[in-house]
Amino acid sequence: MRLPNGNLLELEAIAILNILRRASCNVTIARVGSPVDALSVKCARETIIQCDAHLRDILSNTYDLIVLPGGMPGAQALSDSPELVTMLRKQRSKGGWYGAICAAPAVALLPHGLLPGQATCHPAFQSKLEGIVDASSKSARVVVDESARCVTSQGAGTAIEFALKLVELVVDEATSQQVAKAIVF
């Protein structure tokens, strides 16, 4: 998971992180942006998340999944990171899964040609998807574009559903169902 400093929605980031770790996924939380020597990220509602690494230090690593949380201007900071965009392009070209929630699909994926034809985002940003994504997918809570191996979702209220779908795709459906049952979803 990649995190910019400031105004990222911690509910989305923590929900995704928590669900993936409950599914025994090895998750690296990477900080995007400056200062490059800091690993903590202050979020929109003053929550501080301690990252595992700075993005610049893990550029050569490979991942089964790369996920972007939303929030503004956090999603713009993700979009403005050439290193992150390069990682996402490599992930897509190797057929790896990637995803984004809230503003991030429209703000961080779309400008770089990384948003597939089946996608959604926060309703406040859905006008950016007009004529780019299939109209029927735009209002869905969670959208999986199998051919692009991209998963998108609308926002904080869909974060657990989104994360459970990620587990289903990168682990298996049984594990996703076990985690859902454990959290009474």
Side-chain angles (χ1 to χ4, degrees):
M1 182 176 307
R2 312 296 179 249
L3 302 180
N5 196 38
N7 293 321
L8 95 97
L9 292 181
E10 55 264 68
L11 180 58
E12 295 165 0
I14 295 297
I16 296 163
L17 169 67
N18 184 282
I19 296 297
L20 289 171
R21 287 192 172 159
R22 283 175 183 264
S24 298
C25 294
N26 182 11
V27 179
T28 300
I29 306 170
R31 181 188 168 96
V32 174
S34 59
V36 294
D37 58 341
L39 289 179
S40 61
V41 173
K42 189 172 185 179
C43 301
R45 305 296 181 268
E46 306 297 318
T47 302
I48 296 174
I49 297 176
Q50 184 66 28
C51 297
D52 301 310
H54 195 283
L55 183 67
R56 73 175 192 292
D57 297 328
I58 62 167
L59 292 173
S60 62
N61 296 4
T62 59
Y63 297 94
D64 296 325
L65 170 69
I66 297 174
V67 183
L68 309 181
M72 287 298 285
Q76 187 61 55
L78 294 171
S79 182
D80 293 343
S81 168
E83 297 87 2
L84 178 59
V85 172
T86 297
M87 280 187 85
L88 287 165
R89 286 186 173 137
K90 286 180 184 175
Q91 185 77 356
R92 184 179 67 180
S93 70
K94 75 171 184 136
W97 285 102
Y98 65 101
I101 189 168
C102 193
V107 175
L109 297 182
L110 178 61
H112 302 288
L114 293 164
L115 193 68
Q118 299 288 320
T120 192
C121 65
H122 190 278
F125 293 88
Q126 287 182 358
S127 63
K128 293 179 177 275
L129 308 185
E130 293 291 329
I132 295 167
V133 304
D134 180 65
S136 65
S137 70
K138 191 171 65 167
S139 62
R141 293 171 56 84
V142 176
V143 176
V144 177
D145 189 309
E146 293 277 351
S147 63
R149 296 180 64 87
C150 181
V151 186
T152 53
S153 190
Q154 290 194 358
T158 65
I160 291 175
E161 185 179 348
F162 175 65
L164 289 168
K165 180 55 77 173
L166 296 174
V167 170
E168 179 184 325
L169 295 168
V170 299
V171 181
D172 58 46
E173 187 175 1
T175 301
S176 178
Q177 290 173 352
Q178 289 169 353
V179 172
K181 184 177 179 182
I183 64 167
V184 194
F185 184 76

